[in-house]
């Protein structure tokens, strides 16, 4: 993130190619100790490091790239759902991604008159080397696949295809946006699964409580007897034991 290194890199691009058509910003970093435990414990050093590398680098690179985009251009950055919702273990990186998305909107206003578009891709969790630094990442993958409408995790190819679209003239009317490529995960709130209308409360560590309204298979069904209680089997995963129970009202 040293300004002189950024300036030198784009100077070389200008000398070799003359102009720049697009820029992909895929830079993020936070100290490992800041990607677990409680966000409350984030140190000033970890916070500043994460924000400078993961968020400030976007306007920094955009500023250097703009003079080379003489015929317009496109800038694409990479975000994640943790920018807008709490994701266990993501912590300071979620705050950095929120800053990245806000920067995307402000830069879209500044760069629009230059015919330069800028957008962010909010991809679902992908198994990469850097992602393994996030505490409970395996649980994130499982949680995402179970709840996404497409019933799976996103593939790297799908994120790449979206980036190619945003860099092409096919997206010429799109700027300042966050495009979700997450198999639909971001749209889900409370939903029906089978004949039971369910509300799930889940705290990522040790508790699992599922409260369901017995409705049967159609509106005329009386459903199970009132006030019955069943215990769900206790099961283990990579992050400890999860217990649960079902209560029919």
């Amino acid at each position: 993130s040293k300004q002189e290194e950024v300036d030198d890199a784009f100077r070389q691009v200008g000398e070799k190619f003359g102009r720049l058509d697009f820029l992909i910003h895929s830079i993020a970093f936070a100290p490992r100790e800041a990607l677990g435990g409680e966000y409350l414990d984030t140190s000033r050093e970890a916070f500043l490091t994460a924000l400078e590398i993961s968020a400030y680098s976007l306007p920094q690179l955009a500023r250097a790239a703009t003079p080379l985009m003489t015929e317009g251009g496109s800038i694409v950055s990479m975000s994640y759902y943790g920018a807008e919702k709490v994701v266990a273990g993501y912590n300071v990186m979620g705050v950095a991604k929120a800053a990245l998305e806000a920067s995307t909107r402000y830069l879209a206003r500044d760069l629009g008159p230059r015919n330069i578009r800028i957008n962010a891709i909010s991809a679902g969790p992908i198994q990469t080397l850097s992602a393994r630094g996030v505490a409970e990442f395996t649980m994130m993958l499982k949680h995402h696949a179970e709840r996404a409408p497409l019933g799976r995790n996103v593939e790297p190819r799908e994120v790449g295809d979206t980036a190619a679209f945003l860099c092409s003239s096919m997206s010429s009317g799109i700027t300042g946006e966050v495009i979700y490529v997450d198999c639909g995960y971001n749209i889900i709130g409370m939903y029906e699964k089978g004949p039971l209308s369910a509300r799930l409360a889940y705290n990522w560590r040790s508790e699992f409580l599922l409260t369901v309204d017995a409705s049967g298979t159609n509106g005329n069904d009386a459903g199970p007897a009132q006030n019955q209680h069943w215990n769900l089997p206790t099961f283990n995963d990579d992050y400890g034991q999860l217990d649960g129970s079902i209560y029919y009202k």
Side-chain angles (χ1 to χ4, degrees):
S1 60
K2 294 180 179 178
Q3 189 62 51
E4 59 271 21
E5 294 178 358
V6 171
D7 293 340
D8 184 60
F10 282 92
R11 178 186 58 76
Q12 293 183 48
V13 170
E15 291 175 354
K16 187 171 184 177
F17 300 103
R19 77 168 200 266
L20 187 66
D21 295 320
F22 63 86
L23 171 68
I24 305 294
H25 176 281
S26 188
I27 305 169
F29 175 79
R32 188 179 185 90
E33 64 271 15
L35 298 176
E38 294 186 330
Y39 174 65
L40 181 67
D41 296 326
T42 305
S43 69
R44 178 186 294 269
E45 181 181 3
F47 183 91
L48 294 177
T49 297
L51 268 288
E52 180 177 8
I53 296 175
S54 309
Y56 177 71
S57 57
L58 178 61
Q60 183 181 30
L61 294 179
R63 187 166 57 248
T66 294
L68 295 176
M69 293 184 169
T70 54
E71 299 182 19
S74 176
I75 300 173
V76 178
S77 65
M78 303 302 301
S79 189
Y80 175 61
Y81 189 63
E84 59 178 284
K85 302 292 184 184
V86 175
V87 175
Y90 206 57
N91 293 5
V92 72
M93 189 56 72
V95 176
K97 291 299 187 183
L100 182 80
E101 292 185 5
S103 292
T104 297
R105 291 185 285 272
Y106 279 93
L107 287 170
R109 172 63 186 86
D110 292 344
L111 298 174
R114 299 172 173 86
N115 195 32
I116 298 173
R117 298 176 294 105
I118 180 168
N119 296 284
I121 295 174
S122 183
I126 298 175
Q127 185 70 268
T128 63
L129 183 62
S130 59
R132 293 170 193 165
V134 178
E136 304 186 40
F137 182 73
T138 301
M139 178 65 79
M140 289 168 61
L141 286 171
K142 181 191 297 185
H143 182 85
H144 184 280
E146 289 175 349
R147 287 158 181 77
L150 293 182
R152 61 177 176 84
N153 286 301
V154 68
E155 299 176 5
R157 172 191 56 80
E158 295 169 316
V159 178
D161 288 347
T162 305
F165 163 72
L166 290 173
C167 289
S168 76
S169 60
M170 290 186 290
S171 62
S172 59
I174 303 173
T175 193
E177 298 292 344
V178 176
I179 309 296
Y180 293 92
V181 186
D182 62 357
C183 298
Y185 177 86
N186 75 94
I187 70 167
I188 295 298
M190 187 178 86
Y191 68 101
E192 290 190 4
K193 190 172 184 179
L196 302 176
S197 176
R199 183 176 64 191
L200 181 67
Y202 184 83
N203 80 351
W204 288 99
R205 287 193 175 85
S206 62
E207 295 176 5
F208 179 78
L209 176 65
L210 182 63
T211 304
V212 298
D213 296 325
S215 58
T217 56
N218 59 59
N220 297 322
D221 243 330
Q226 300 297 301
N227 300 319
Q228 292 190 39
H229 168 262
W230 291 264
N231 285 323
L232 290 176
T234 296
F235 61 96
N236 293 294
D237 66 6
D238 294 340
Y239 297 96
Q241 185 169 289
L242 303 175
D243 299 312
S245 55
I246 291 179
Y247 295 84
Y248 277 104
K249 296 180 180 178

